[in-house]
Amino acid sequence: MSKSSLTGTRIRARRNLRGLRQSDLAHMVGVSPSYMNLIEHNRRRVSPPLLQAIAQALDVSEDALVEDSDIRFVEGARAAALRTDTNIVDLERVDEFTGRFPGWAKVLAETQARVETLERVVDQLNDRMTHDPYLGAALHEIISAVTSVQSTAAILNDGGDIAPEWQARFHENILNDSKRLAEGAVALVNYLDAADDTESGLAAPQEEVEAWLARKGFHLPVLEAADSGDLPQLLRAQVELSSDASRVLALQWLVRLQEDARALPLDPFLDALAELGMAPDLLAVRFNVPLQQVLRRLAMLPADDARARAFPAAGLVVCDGSGTLVLRRAVDGFPMPRFGGGCPLWPLYQALHSPGRPLRVLLRTDGRMGRQFVAYAICAPDGPPSFDDAPIMQSTMLVVPEMAQALPQGARALVVGGSCRTCAQIDCPARREPSILVAFA
């Protein structure tokens, strides 16, 4: 559409609003009525001097007679019409409609834009409902509490004789379930409010903790001290952790990282790292600690220490026995999903099948711009052993940008993705759902 394609239509609309005849306006600006007729039907361009004269005659600004600011009205009206079964011949007159009725065209275009925005929000919520386990669990908790209150109330309302002690128990159940319902509703509202329209805001407590750790560089100097002080008190001063759930999760990880710091004192550990290189197994032997503890320590080194900077920044992924990621430290070039599990081919999951067996695998991320990493993984029981309870397994994977000395020469890289939904390997045998990139493959 040319810059002046609507100018004539808008001149005609403004002239009609003023109650002027075409010949009257032509006389006022010094052109013939036939030439004015061609202008108003967009068959002749309007020179700048003539446009200025017409604007003065109609007592409007020149900007009001050009369509630069109204292109979006035309496109919005056309997009709205294409949603219907409108005859294509009528669509060809959208320019005329916009020029004659700019107010209605604006309303139509803004309504269309609003509809498109709402559709995007619906798509986001649909994806969130499908793939957000925290949201599903919160809704399940609320439904469970409502059902429990309803069942107990139905028993009390049945009209039969109920012993006083059972009445008291039912009343207590209703009170507890009501509290659970209220707490669940508040948590759900806070959770939904925490995320913005682009899904870039914080959502689950785990994300809040990971974002807080990321802002700290995944290293808290206070944990290196022999006396780290009161950790719960430390967390209460962290305004970034806005929910009780996030503080509980943060405390669990701080306790674990504190144990790592005490088992692997920073200065001796960095000296050993400089001596042995990126060799988690040798470091575990040197300090007589479990391998997973060394992997966590390597991912949490201080960025301002020259000895640590001699090695590339590493990423860390931890999952429980179900395969759900419980901690993520991202590293450039290695995508990690926001919810649920990652790529089934990750050594993180292979280690779950062979507890206690350390794995070292060369990985390459999918796509033409894929990068290579060395992954170190091991699965081990989380917590002390017990004859009475099944072990709680946890798998840990350290992801380090490839270094020449890390693997034997000629090692073959395993191609992996972040999650099936965004992986470019369409024919991957481990795929559990179609990729949204299939249209671009």
Side-chain angles (χ1 to χ4, degrees):
M1 183 182 298
S2 65
K3 181 178 179 180
S4 59
S5 61
L6 290 179
T7 303
T9 304
R10 292 180 63 83
I11 290 174
R12 183 171 69 251
R14 295 289 180 173
R15 176 178 60 77
N16 289 333
L17 288 175
R18 292 292 305 275
L20 293 174
R21 293 181 302 178
Q22 194 176 76
S23 58
D24 294 336
L25 179 60
H27 178 71
M28 293 172 66
V29 298
V31 297
S32 67
S34 60
Y35 189 75
M36 180 59 68
N37 182 65
L38 293 174
I39 289 175
E40 290 190 353
H41 285 84
N42 300 306
R43 296 177 182 174
R44 289 291 186 275
R45 290 184 176 273
V46 186
S47 64
L50 180 57
L51 179 64
Q52 181 181 15
I54 293 175
Q56 291 177 350
L58 296 176
D59 195 22
V60 296
S61 67
E62 295 180 40
D63 291 340
L65 299 179
V66 295
E67 77 358 284
D68 287 17
S69 60
D70 293 326
I71 279 288
R72 62 187 183 92
F73 298 160
V74 176
E75 298 304 324
R78 180 177 286 110
L82 289 174
R83 289 177 174 270
T84 67
D85 296 329
T86 305
N87 192 314
I88 192 65
V89 175
D90 294 332
L91 292 183
E92 294 175 354
R93 303 180 64 189
V94 66
D95 295 353
E96 180 181 351
F97 167 78
T98 305
R100 295 186 62 186
F101 306 103
W104 280 110
K106 179 180 179 181
V107 170
L108 187 59
E110 291 180 350
T111 302
Q112 169 65 17
R114 178 64 174 167
V115 168
E116 292 177 352
T117 300
L118 292 175
E119 287 179 341
R120 287 193 295 269
V121 171
V122 169
D123 289 340
Q124 291 173 355
L125 291 176
N126 177 66
D127 181 70
R128 198 167 174 184
M129 288 287 290
T130 304
H131 300 285
D132 187 340
Y134 182 83
L135 181 57
L139 292 174
H140 177 76
E141 176 69 13
I142 290 177
I143 294 173
S144 174
V146 170
T147 303
S148 180
V149 170
Q150 185 180 29
S151 300
T152 307
I155 294 174
L156 292 174
N157 194 50
D158 192 34
D161 294 332
I162 302 177
E165 61 271 18
W166 280 102
Q167 287 188 9
R169 184 173 299 180
F170 286 143
H171 288 152
E172 183 179 0
N173 288 344
I174 289 180
L175 177 62
N176 292 335
D177 288 333
S178 299
K179 290 180 179 178
R180 185 159 62 99
L181 176 60
E183 292 173 356
V186 170
L188 181 59
V189 170
N190 290 338
Y191 168 69
L192 293 174
D193 285 346
D196 61 23
D197 292 340
T198 61
E199 288 292 315
S200 62
L202 298 179
Q206 178 186 339
E207 290 183 288
E208 196 170 345
V209 173
E210 291 172 352
W212 174 68
L213 287 173
R215 286 191 288 271
K216 301 292 184 181
F218 282 87
H219 183 264
L220 280 75
V222 66
L223 299 181
E224 305 292 346
D227 181 11
S228 302
D230 186 356
L231 293 182
Q233 179 64 32
L234 170 67
L235 290 175
R236 281 192 289 271
Q238 305 301 314
V239 295
E240 299 97 329
L241 301 172
S242 60
S243 66
D244 292 337
S246 64
R247 284 188 287 272
V248 169
L249 288 179
L251 179 60
Q252 294 174 356
W253 280 109
L254 286 190
V255 170
R256 177 156 294 184
L257 297 179
Q258 183 184 59
E259 295 172 352
D260 296 345
R262 291 176 177 175
L264 300 164
L266 184 60
D267 286 333
F269 183 76
L270 288 174
D271 291 340
L273 179 62
E275 175 190 347
L276 301 174
M278 185 59 68
D281 53 343
L282 299 182
L283 290 168
V285 173
R286 170 72 62 90
F287 290 92
N288 192 27
V289 297
L291 181 60
Q292 63 269 22
Q293 199 165 36
V294 174
L295 299 183
R296 290 196 300 266
R297 191 63 162 151
L298 287 170
M300 307 292 180
L301 296 178
D304 57 353
D305 193 292
R307 292 167 294 180
R309 289 199 303 270
F311 297 87
L316 184 73
V317 193
V318 181
C319 78
D320 60 18
S322 72
T324 301
L325 305 185
V326 296
L327 183 70
R328 299 162 300 181
R329 178 176 187 179
V331 60
D332 289 343
F334 194 91
M336 298 180 184
R338 182 178 179 187
F339 298 120
C343 174
L345 299 179
W346 283 358
L348 176 78
Y349 300 121
Q350 306 306 318
L352 286 173
H353 302 298
S354 304
R357 178 192 173 195
L359 299 177
R360 183 182 59 183
V361 183
L362 179 63
L363 304 179
R364 181 172 63 83
T365 54
D366 66 291
R368 288 174 294 179
M369 303 298 291
R371 295 175 56 183
Q372 293 200 154
F373 297 84
V374 177
Y376 304 88
I378 190 167
C379 175
D382 186 27
S386 172
F387 289 110
D388 300 322
D389 300 313
I392 305 300
M393 307 305 293
Q394 190 173 82
S395 185
T396 305
M397 181 174 74
L398 183 75
V399 183
V400 185
E402 183 192 10
M403 295 181 294
Q405 72 275 21
L407 285 173
Q409 187 175 5
R412 182 180 178 183
L414 174 66
V415 180
V416 299
S419 68
C420 289
R421 284 178 61 81
T422 57
C423 180
Q425 294 189 93
I426 305 302
D427 297 327
C428 176
R431 178 170 296 283
R432 57 178 175 262
E433 62 176 323
S435 173
I436 61 176
L437 303 179
V438 65
F440 307 102

